[in-house]
Amino acid sequence: GDGYDMRLYCWATIPTESDQTPTGVFDFQDGVTSLAMHGDQLVGAGPMRGIRHWKSLPLNGEPPDALYEGQIGSVSFNRVTHVALDGTYFYALDDQKALHGWPGVPEGNEAPAFTLQLEGPEPYIHSDGTYLTLSTRNSVALYDVSTLETDPTPQLVTGFAHSSHLGQALAADGHLFV
């Protein structure tokens, strides 16, 4: 996803050399702020035009199957800043720092399964299906995905400092990468 050129570039196979031409290009129209993929599904958020959802990978630059502008399910928003997707939930973080989670990408007016109102700096989000990570430049909150609807209590990892850039973290296979 290219926020500057406002395009999603797709390669049917991993490029083996520099400047390899993509097999498909999709014009995102307003930039790409966040992308998430699980299986063959892809979701992307742009700063002004909302969320795009592909039910299968757009290897040839196909348009999304759904576009959500200003609302997804029963939730209205000005701007979605980050998205994540795993085998359990689709997550969308809005510009009011409300993190909404649905069981899959909603196709109708479904209410989210949970909403967390976050404090502090806007985090980067990622989920591997076991842990949802919310990371900022000086901390990481790890949520057990299985408890998000009942007891969303994070485990906090602190004690390190990043530059002024947003710190990114992800959990995968029982490991944490910051």
Side-chain angles (χ1 to χ4, degrees):
D2 185 338
Y4 182 76
D5 287 332
M6 298 183 282
R7 293 188 174 140
L8 177 67
Y9 297 98
C10 309
W11 286 264
T13 59
I14 300 290
T16 57
E17 58 188 52
S18 295
D19 296 324
Q20 188 170 327
T21 303
T23 53
V25 178
F26 174 73
D27 184 355
F28 229 79
Q29 300 175 340
D30 73 337
V32 182
T33 57
S34 184
L35 290 171
M37 187 176 87
H38 180 74
D40 283 345
Q41 288 192 76
L42 178 68
V43 290
M48 307 305 244
R49 301 275 316 227
I51 298 170
R52 289 157 182 83
H53 176 221
W54 289 267
K55 293 179 181 178
S56 60
L57 297 179
L59 299 179
N60 297 305
E62 297 89 349
D65 296 297
L67 172 63
Y68 305 95
E69 294 181 286
Q71 183 170 348
I72 185 164
S74 63
V75 175
S76 296
F77 54 84
N78 279 336
R79 186 171 65 91
V80 171
T81 58
H82 297 284
V83 292
L85 185 64
D86 60 31
T88 306
Y89 295 110
F90 164 66
Y91 309 87
L93 178 65
D94 68 25
D95 60 349
Q96 301 300 308
K97 291 191 258 178
L99 177 65
H100 309 283
W102 289 267
V105 180
E107 294 187 12
N109 200 30
E110 299 99 311
F114 66 88
T115 296
L116 303 176
Q117 188 60 53
L118 306 177
E119 301 293 326
E122 177 184 303
Y124 173 86
I125 65 174
H126 178 269
S127 179
D128 71 344
T130 303
Y131 291 103
L132 172 66
T133 58
L134 282 67
S135 55
T136 65
R137 62 185 172 157
N138 58 6
S139 68
V140 176
L142 292 160
Y143 287 87
D144 181 334
V145 169
S146 68
T147 66
L148 287 170
E149 293 184 45
T150 57
D151 183 26
T153 305
Q155 178 180 353
L156 295 177
V157 179
T158 61
F160 49 85
H162 294 283
S163 69
S164 61
H165 299 287
L166 178 67
Q168 295 185 19
L170 62 93
D173 296 325
H175 303 282
L176 177 64
F177 299 90
V178 179

